[in-house]
Amino acid sequence: MCKFITKITVPRTLWGLKTLQGYIRELAAICGVAPERLLHVEMLVEELGVNIARYSLRNDPEGQIEITVLKELSSFILRFHYRGIPYGYDIDNPKDELGRISMDLIHGLSSAYSMHEDGKAGQTVEVKVALPENSLAPELERPGLLKTTEEVGLATDETYIRHIADTDMKLLVQCLYSVFGYNYSADYMYNPEALVKRRADGLYEGIVAVNSKEEVVGHVGLLKSKPDDCICECGQAFVMPQYGKRKLFTRLKQQLIDYADEIGLMGVFSSAVTGHPFTQRGNLALGCVETGLELGYIPADVESMIKRRGEGKRQPVMNFFKPTSHHRHQQLWLPACHADIITETYTRLGIERDLRQAPEQGLEEGTSIIHSEVNNVWNQAHLSIGKAGTEDFVQRIETILMRSASAGCAVCYVSLPLDRPETAPIVDVLQQKCGFFYAGIMPYELDGVDAIRLQCLLQQDAITRDDVMAESEWAQKLSDYIFEARG
């Protein structure tokens, strides 16, 4: 996953400005570029900028170059974007000695590079400077306030739990920053106005722990995709390290579950990382039940205050569900290949269902209806299948998977309704011909209908069973089943 560092817009007339080059050199150092390569980075910024200005912006005295600086796990990234003469500058075909210098610098930095025309949007040159192995970039990745519970003194004042108020949003952002710095994945969580709007729109309700000074020190969010969803997610859970060891997470989530029941929701779901046991233990203490395991769900460089297994790899999550007192009867058709594990999941959930094994049948005649979306923050692709037609289903899925992998996605997910016998043959084809495997079930997920979830890993996978800490016998059985399904 790429992390945005900064964006700088530079007029054509200012190329060669040493202050700019020095600034980017300092960013490279913070991001972990080896000291002996920093001068090369500084020179590369100058050479690329001058070449772009000379060959693509030569007829535009007001032309500008936009430099975006990013970092991913193994690379420091410089992205030059400009709107100049189409094909005026070609990095692969230097026109003079200056252009050859740029290429020499790129090769000397052990870098990857790309250049492409963006049509009316202009052109983009991107250079990825390889970082040394295990580069931590502490100044950028871990702001000074981000500490583990062992590194901070525990607070002694009292706390109490209540619903969030619109006037708490700035305090909530400050609490978030004290835990994650600027590394939290949901950008809107740093915007008090956006949080107030989501609350007004019925997509969010916060439960907070506040201290004796009325400062927010812990939070869980009741999250919906649509205001009329009949289930919600318990997410955005964090507690300031100073207020650890008080079971605040358990108390916050219990109040959220009680509120979900009060407003008539069917249940609460959540995801717990499996690299450490603590979030799973909190869920189990509240009677939540494991319903699935999604391998590679969290990007490798998402921060954690708690040391976990599988550091440096994408992180699996165990999905949990807690039914409320509200129920809706459903008749479900189970794919034969997963009928036993799904039946046991429902038994443990205590949700009454009319479970039937789907009859053997093929895909529907005709062409397919498939929609795909990419989550660039988490490097995930998500499929929605309206119809799987015999004419083109496998070909369409394979194309989407290849395109998603090329866009940097590491995993693809699909949820399918269990109230339709037509789901079973889709599951069979996705598993036998497209590389998908079982991820679990989720009650009421698809407009109130229970769903089976499948997953497909798109990048080279280093996740092992040892990376997954399963905190119950059922979780271990579910984990073993999914790793066997992966093959």
Side-chain angles (χ1 to χ4, degrees):
M1 181 181 73
C2 284
K3 289 187 177 179
F4 173 83
I5 308 301
T6 192
K7 184 179 289 186
I8 312 160
T9 301
V10 185
R12 174 183 179 276
T13 53
L14 289 185
W15 281 99
L17 192 66
K18 292 299 180 184
T19 304
L20 169 67
Q21 297 157 30
Y23 175 55
I24 293 180
R25 173 177 173 153
E26 289 302 313
L27 291 177
I30 291 172
C31 288
V33 173
E36 64 271 15
R37 292 182 174 180
L38 294 176
L39 178 60
H40 285 74
V41 170
E42 184 176 346
M43 294 170 63
L44 178 62
V45 171
E46 179 180 14
E47 298 302 327
L48 279 176
V50 169
N51 274 300
I52 292 168
R54 286 179 65 190
Y55 295 116
S56 275
L57 301 177
R58 64 178 183 270
N59 296 332
D60 185 2
E62 297 182 359
Q64 297 178 328
I65 304 174
E66 181 182 83
I67 306 177
T68 304
V69 182
L70 308 109
K71 180 186 178 292
E72 58 186 13
L73 189 64
S74 59
S75 302
F76 174 70
I77 302 171
L78 293 172
R79 186 175 295 158
F80 297 75
H81 178 76
Y82 50 95
R83 296 186 69 186
I85 301 170
Y87 308 100
Y89 173 53
D90 185 351
I91 193 171
D92 290 310
N93 296 295
K95 298 181 180 181
D96 54 23
E97 186 62 28
L98 193 61
R100 284 187 285 273
I101 291 173
S102 295
M103 289 303 299
D104 289 343
L105 288 168
I106 288 173
H107 293 312
L109 285 165
S110 300
S111 304
Y113 72 94
S114 63
M115 179 175 183
H116 52 88
E117 297 284 332
D118 301 322
K120 289 184 177 181
Q123 300 89 41
T124 300
V125 177
E126 182 174 285
V127 179
K128 291 188 174 184
V129 180
L131 296 177
E133 189 173 356
N134 298 324
S135 173
L136 296 179
E139 296 90 342
L140 190 66
E141 303 291 345
R142 286 187 183 271
L145 293 175
L146 180 59
K147 298 181 184 297
T148 66
T149 53
E150 290 75 18
E151 295 173 322
V152 299
L154 294 178
T156 58
D157 58 335
E158 294 296 320
T159 59
Y160 71 98
I161 293 173
R162 60 170 170 79
H163 282 250
I164 201 166
D166 288 351
T167 53
D168 293 324
M169 297 308 180
K170 290 183 179 179
L171 295 173
L172 174 62
V173 173
Q174 291 173 353
C175 177
L176 176 74
Y177 177 79
S178 73
V179 177
F180 291 101
Y182 283 116
N183 292 318
Y184 197 71
S185 57
D187 290 349
Y188 69 82
M189 285 294 292
Y190 294 92
N191 185 332
E193 291 78 13
L195 290 165
V196 169
K197 185 177 187 308
R198 287 179 64 82
R199 189 169 185 238
D201 291 342
L203 301 177
Y204 159 74
E205 177 62 30
I207 309 293
V208 292
V210 297
N211 64 11
S212 57
K213 297 179 181 178
E214 287 294 311
E215 297 168 329
V216 175
V217 300
H219 172 266
V220 296
L222 185 154
L223 311 175
K224 293 182 180 181
S225 298
K226 304 187 300 297
D228 59 351
D229 284 347
C230 65
I231 59 173
C232 69
E233 179 181 7
C234 174
Q236 297 166 353
F238 46 87
V239 175
M240 291 177 63
Q242 296 92 325
Y243 290 85
K245 301 185 178 180
R246 300 187 185 207
K247 300 187 182 299
L248 277 181
F249 167 75
T250 303
R251 291 164 54 197
L252 286 162
K253 182 163 184 176
Q254 182 62 66
Q255 186 152 329
L256 185 147
I257 291 170
D258 293 343
Y259 178 66
D261 187 56
E262 178 185 328
I263 62 176
L265 298 182
M266 302 289 179
V268 177
F269 68 92
S270 60
S271 299
V273 296
T274 60
H276 64 70
F278 307 110
T279 311
Q280 294 179 72
R281 290 175 185 172
N283 278 287
L284 292 169
L286 293 169
C288 304
V289 175
E290 303 93 329
T291 61
L293 176 68
E294 298 181 6
L295 305 182
Y297 183 86
I298 301 176
D301 55 355
V302 168
E303 293 287 351
S304 172
M305 293 183 296
I306 303 173
K307 185 174 177 60
R308 62 194 182 193
R309 291 185 186 177
E311 291 282 359
K313 305 177 185 179
R314 291 185 70 90
Q315 292 283 306
V317 295
M318 188 73 71
N319 291 325
F320 285 83
F321 191 84
K322 172 70 174 178
T324 64
S325 62
H326 306 278
H327 301 286
R328 183 181 297 165
H329 180 267
Q330 294 182 45
Q331 182 183 87
L332 304 179
W333 299 91
L334 306 186
C337 54
H338 301 305
D340 290 344
I341 197 77
I342 293 176
T343 300
E344 185 170 358
T345 303
Y346 279 112
T347 299
R348 293 179 177 276
L349 283 168
I351 300 177
E352 185 178 349
R353 291 288 186 266
D354 179 4
L355 303 179
R356 305 188 177 193
Q357 185 165 311
E360 293 188 10
Q361 62 186 83
L363 299 180
E364 299 179 64
E365 296 292 330
T367 59
S368 303
I369 302 173
I370 305 171
H371 178 68
S372 65
E373 293 184 1
V374 170
N375 181 332
N376 289 314
V377 176
W378 292 81
N379 294 342
Q380 299 171 352
H382 296 265
L383 298 181
S384 175
I385 300 174
K387 176 184 175 182
T390 53
E391 293 183 16
D392 61 353
F393 182 64
V394 173
Q395 180 183 2
R396 289 275 304 279
I397 294 295
E398 288 177 343
T399 299
I400 290 171
L401 295 180
M402 286 189 293
R403 187 171 65 238
S404 300
S406 299
C409 291
V411 62
C412 181
Y413 295 105
V414 61
S415 293
L416 297 162
L418 282 170
D419 67 338
R420 299 171 50 195
E422 296 85 359
T423 288
I426 298 176
V427 170
D428 290 340
V429 172
L430 288 173
Q431 293 182 156
Q432 295 168 14
K433 298 185 178 181
C434 302
F436 282 83
F437 58 97
Y438 187 71
I441 65 164
M442 184 56 63
Y444 305 108
E445 179 182 9
L446 299 176
D447 293 326
V449 173
D450 294 7
I452 181 174
R453 289 182 172 181
L454 302 178
Q455 56 192 321
C456 178
L457 300 176
L458 303 178
Q459 307 291 348
Q460 187 172 359
D461 169 35
I463 300 164
T464 68
R465 295 191 190 203
D466 291 338
D467 296 327
V468 175
M469 300 180 70
E471 281 302 296
S472 71
E473 290 185 10
W474 167 239
Q476 188 61 61
K477 180 176 180 178
L478 193 58
S479 175
D480 289 343
Y481 183 87
I482 287 172
F483 273 98
E484 288 293 333
R486 183 188 68 168

